Amino acid sequence: MTEVSPPSERERPKPIEAVPVRHPGRWVAVAVLAVLAAMFVNTVLTNPNFRWPIVGEYLFAPPVLNGLRNTLILTLLAMLVGIVGGVALAVMRLSPNPVLSSVSALYIWLFRGTPLIAQLLFWNFLAALYPRLSLGIPFGPEFVSFDTNQLINQFAACLLGLGLNEAAYMAEIVRGGLQSVDQGQSEAAGALGMSRAQTLRRIVLPQAMRVIIPPTGNETISMLKTTSLVVVIGYFELLTSVQRIYSTNFQTIPLLIVAAAWYLLLTSLLSVGQYYVERYYGRGTNRGQTGARLFPRRNPEQPA
């Protein structure tokens, strides 16, 4: 066999000189956005109809802060009711017992299929349907009885309407998270002698939290803004407080800006908290940022 001699220096191909790809569209988009942003900032700062001094005057007004406090309390308690109820409904929905599964499906169908405003009004006017609520033996003696108007006040109606409605949506979120865990995990736990409750609490639910947390954070942020719907039954929260103020001084736009500013601030804080909770439950998973997955960084030594 003839030996092949290595190529000489003159015969070797020259290295490729790669030219980076130009992206003129990006610069055009940046320029257009910069112009639009400058126009927006200019009109916000120069338009006297915004009445920024009035915004600053009422931003920390006692009625507004009282409404803000009620909004936070209602959001916290409604989400607590929704999460606890959603977990219970999801477990019932996945139960092999057809009665429990059917009851859960019926609940979710009813509360997701009717408007939230209608549910708030229903709970607020429950006394028109049941003037008195009692506990006792069916078709037998009553142990205790309550006046519905005293038991279901405005706050209770808001809490029931928001919390029970949220439970229907949280049930589907939790169910999706539980079903994302591999069935082999439950089978292995059962082989070790663990009960269904122990398997759910120790094995399935901790793994499902990685899937449950992101939509739960979104639901919490949505609940913060959804509390403004309780204005239909006159409960004093953030939006109701500013409405009562501008109904007397007719400064509608500045007072609405005050409410929007508080909502934006609270939403931003909740978004930051959601980020850290997601990172905590996402430990051990090889997941990068969304932008990094969609637009991975190019190695500068590689050609474009």
Side-chain angles (χ1 to χ4, degrees):
M1 298 178 61
T2 58
E3 296 183 357
V4 179
S5 59
S8 62
E9 293 294 333
R10 295 180 179 180
E11 295 176 351
R12 291 180 180 178
K14 296 181 179 181
I16 299 175
E17 296 181 0
V19 179
V21 179
R22 301 291 186 266
H23 299 283
R26 294 183 181 179
W27 294 104
V28 173
V30 170
V32 171
L33 292 176
V35 171
L36 293 176
M39 294 173 59
F40 175 77
V41 172
N42 178 68
T43 186
V44 168
L45 296 179
T46 59
N47 190 343
N49 294 324
F50 281 99
R51 298 183 177 91
W52 292 110
I54 298 178
V55 174
E57 177 184 353
Y58 286 98
L59 190 61
F60 297 99
V64 174
L65 295 180
N66 290 335
L68 178 64
R69 180 196 60 189
N70 292 341
T71 294
L72 292 174
I73 294 174
L74 197 57
T75 301
L76 176 63
L77 295 180
M79 281 306 301
L80 182 62
V81 172
I83 292 174
V84 174
V87 172
L89 288 169
V91 174
M92 292 171 60
R93 190 77 175 87
L94 298 175
S95 173
N97 188 327
V99 176
L100 295 179
S101 179
S102 300
V103 169
S104 176
L106 179 63
Y107 180 98
I108 294 171
W109 167 79
L110 178 63
F111 281 86
R112 289 201 309 173
T114 54
L116 177 57
I117 291 181
Q119 296 176 33
L120 289 169
L121 291 171
F122 175 84
W123 289 112
N124 190 53
F125 297 108
L126 184 63
L129 186 61
Y130 297 103
R132 298 194 66 83
L133 298 175
S134 60
L135 297 176
I137 300 175
F139 309 104
E142 296 180 357
F143 297 143
V144 62
S145 180
F146 304 95
D147 184 0
T148 305
N149 280 323
Q150 296 180 358
L151 183 64
I152 309 296
N153 54 20
Q154 279 189 336
F155 177 77
C158 296
L159 186 59
L160 288 172
L162 295 173
L164 296 181
N165 179 268
E166 182 63 31
Y169 290 92
M170 283 301 305
E172 293 298 281
I173 293 175
V174 175
R175 183 172 69 90
L178 296 178
Q179 290 181 328
S180 68
V181 180
D182 188 79
Q183 184 65 25
Q185 300 282 334
S186 300
E187 295 174 356
L192 294 175
M194 299 179 65
S195 64
R196 287 177 54 86
Q198 291 176 331
T199 302
L200 176 65
R201 187 177 70 254
R202 299 180 181 179
I203 305 298
V204 178
L205 196 56
Q207 298 182 68
M209 291 298 290
R210 182 173 57 88
V211 179
I212 295 173
I213 287 297
T216 302
N218 293 336
E219 288 294 314
T220 304
I221 294 173
S222 178
M223 177 61 72
L224 175 69
K225 296 172 290 184
T226 304
T227 54
S228 60
L229 294 180
V230 302
V231 68
V232 298
I233 60 177
Y235 184 71
F236 190 81
E237 45 80 48
L238 179 57
L239 189 61
T240 309
S241 65
V242 300
Q243 284 182 333
R244 292 183 181 180
I245 296 174
Y246 71 63
S247 65
T248 58
N249 62 7
F250 304 105
Q251 300 293 335
T252 304
I253 297 300
L255 269 301
L256 290 178
I257 293 176
V258 169
W262 279 115
Y263 281 123
L264 284 173
L265 176 61
L266 296 176
T267 300
S268 302
L269 294 176
L270 289 175
S271 299
V272 173
Q274 177 185 352
Y275 167 76
Y276 284 104
V277 174
E278 286 183 19
R279 192 174 70 171
Y280 174 79
Y281 282 101
R283 295 171 315 203
T285 58
N286 187 17
R287 298 189 305 168
Q289 298 295 328
T290 303
R293 294 199 302 269
L294 294 178
F295 306 102
R297 292 183 179 179
R298 180 175 60 84
N299 189 341
E301 296 181 356
Q302 295 178 352

